[in-house]
Amino acid sequence: SVERIFHFILDTFGKEPRISPLNNSGIRKDKREEFERTYRNYEESIQQASNCEMLKDEMFIKNPKTNMLLNYLYNQSGNIFFNYNHLFAKTAELSIPATGTCTPFAKKMFITVKGRILQCERINHEFALGQVTDTSVELDWERIAEQHNNYVFKYANQCKHCGNRQACMQCVYQIDDIHEPHAKCRGFCTEVEKKKENDKCLEYLTEHPQLYKRLLSEVVIRG
């Protein structure tokens, strides 16, 4: 459980662990049933803790509910600025990138034991960007750009009508039917659905009013 993992690491090593659920995309069809049988929902595990509210307080932004609230304040409050220039920028006129997929090598990369270079550790190996061999690093920059743009802009039209387009976190490489001609983005939601999600954030903030001040004073957001 999340509770046992969190306290074991904290009590044994004095460190707060970052716990994340398994990636549920790219599972082989013949292993899907076994995966569902062993998979445990992250939020449900927290709710089932012996002292749920205390665990949430200890985890702070590692608690999905609080992290959801942090993202809401960051994307919806209009009070987050990275520098003085952002105070004068007309954000409504800025172009919004299609999907929440990271640009290759912009944040990190992952190299498999077989030398394949991936954007991160949560992406299927078929989307490798290059290869590390015994003698060189093989990277075809034009192919990488073309592959990335083809996958990302495949969903651009859906993004225009998505209620979550301002705060999208959906990586296209975690959409199982990405190769299908009319694949639907897993993160797509209507304006009505987004409003309901925002209402949940405000409801959670009403139930935990101390979080607003704590988020503003203790959390540093880096762009």
Side-chain angles (χ1 to χ4, degrees), residues 128-130 140-148:
L129 303 173
D140 183 338
W141 298 107
E142 290 189 7
R143 184 192 68 80
I144 292 171
E146 182 180 6
Q147 172 182 282
H148 180 75

Side-chain angles (χ1 to χ4, degrees), residues 164-175:
N164 199 37
R165 59 187 175 276
Q166 295 280 2
C168 180
M169 298 293 288
Q170 178 63 56
C171 173
V172 298
Y173 299 110
Q174 293 180 0
I175 300 175

Side-chain angles (χ1 to χ4, degrees), residues 1 4 32 48-49 52 69 79 92 104 106 115 127 137 154 159 200:
S1 68
R4 292 181 64 187
R32 171 60 65 176
Q48 293 166 0
C52 176
L69 180 58
N79 293 326
F127 302 115
V137 176
K154 179 178 183 178
C159 295
K200 286 182 181 179

Side-chain angles (χ1 to χ4, degrees), residues 158-191:
Q158 293 181 47
C159 295
K160 293 177 184 177
H161 306 284
C162 180
N164 199 37
R165 59 187 175 276
Q166 295 280 2
C168 180
M169 298 293 288
Q170 178 63 56
C171 173
V172 298
Y173 299 110
Q174 293 180 0
I175 300 175
D176 285 339
D177 56 355
I178 187 174
H179 298 300
E180 298 298 324
H182 303 291
K184 184 178 179 180
C185 176
R186 292 199 320 183
F188 181 86
C189 71
T190 64
E191 297 288 351

Side-chain angles (χ1 to χ4, degrees), residues 6-188:
F6 185 85
H7 285 134
F8 172 77
I9 300 296
L10 183 63
D11 297 342
T12 307
F13 304 105
K15 302 290 184 180
E16 291 187 6
R18 179 182 292 275
I19 306 169
S20 61
L22 288 171
N23 178 16
N24 61 359
S25 66
I27 307 298
R28 280 169 35 186
K29 291 182 179 179
D30 61 322
K31 295 291 183 181
R32 171 60 65 176
E33 186 178 337
E34 181 181 351
F35 177 84
E36 296 292 347
R37 193 167 57 249
T38 57
Y39 180 83
R40 188 163 190 186
N41 184 282
Y42 186 77
E43 289 192 44
E44 287 180 5
S45 182
I46 294 175
Q47 288 297 128
Q48 293 166 0
S50 56
N51 194 326
C52 176
E53 289 302 317
M54 182 180 290
L55 179 62
K56 288 179 181 178
D57 185 62
E58 289 180 309
M59 295 182 72
F60 192 32
I61 59 172
K62 297 182 181 71
N63 168 27
K65 290 284 188 181
T66 310
N67 195 264
M68 174 184 71
L69 180 58
L70 175 64
N71 288 329
Y72 170 78
L73 293 173
Y74 170 65
N75 292 295
Q76 306 288 335
S77 69
N79 293 326
I80 304 297
F81 306 96
F82 286 117
N83 54 53
Y84 289 118
N85 291 331
H86 284 189
L87 290 169
F88 305 101
K90 296 180 179 180
T91 54
E93 299 177 5
L94 297 177
S95 60
I96 303 170
T99 80
T101 310
C102 300
T103 303
F105 304 113
K107 290 185 177 180
K108 59 181 177 179
M109 69 175 184
F110 177 73
I111 301 177
T112 72
V113 293
K114 293 185 178 181
R116 290 178 179 171
I117 303 172
L118 299 168
Q119 282 175 242
C120 81
E121 73 284 355
R122 299 174 68 87
I123 292 178
N124 194 302
H125 291 191
E126 69 172 298
F127 302 115
L129 303 173
Q131 182 79 25
V132 177
T133 68
D134 292 337
T135 57
S136 66
V137 176
E138 300 172 356
L139 289 171
D140 183 338
W141 298 107
E142 290 189 7
R143 184 192 68 80
I144 292 171
E146 182 180 6
Q147 172 182 282
H148 180 75
N149 289 338
N150 284 343
Y151 284 131
V152 168
F153 288 104
K154 179 178 183 178
Y155 299 92
N157 192 52
Q158 293 181 47
C159 295
K160 293 177 184 177
H161 306 284
C162 180
N164 199 37
R165 59 187 175 276
Q166 295 280 2
C168 180
M169 298 293 288
Q170 178 63 56
C171 173
V172 298
Y173 299 110
Q174 293 180 0
I175 300 175
D176 285 339
D177 56 355
I178 187 174
H179 298 300
E180 298 298 324
H182 303 291
K184 184 178 179 180
C185 176
R186 292 199 320 183
F188 181 86

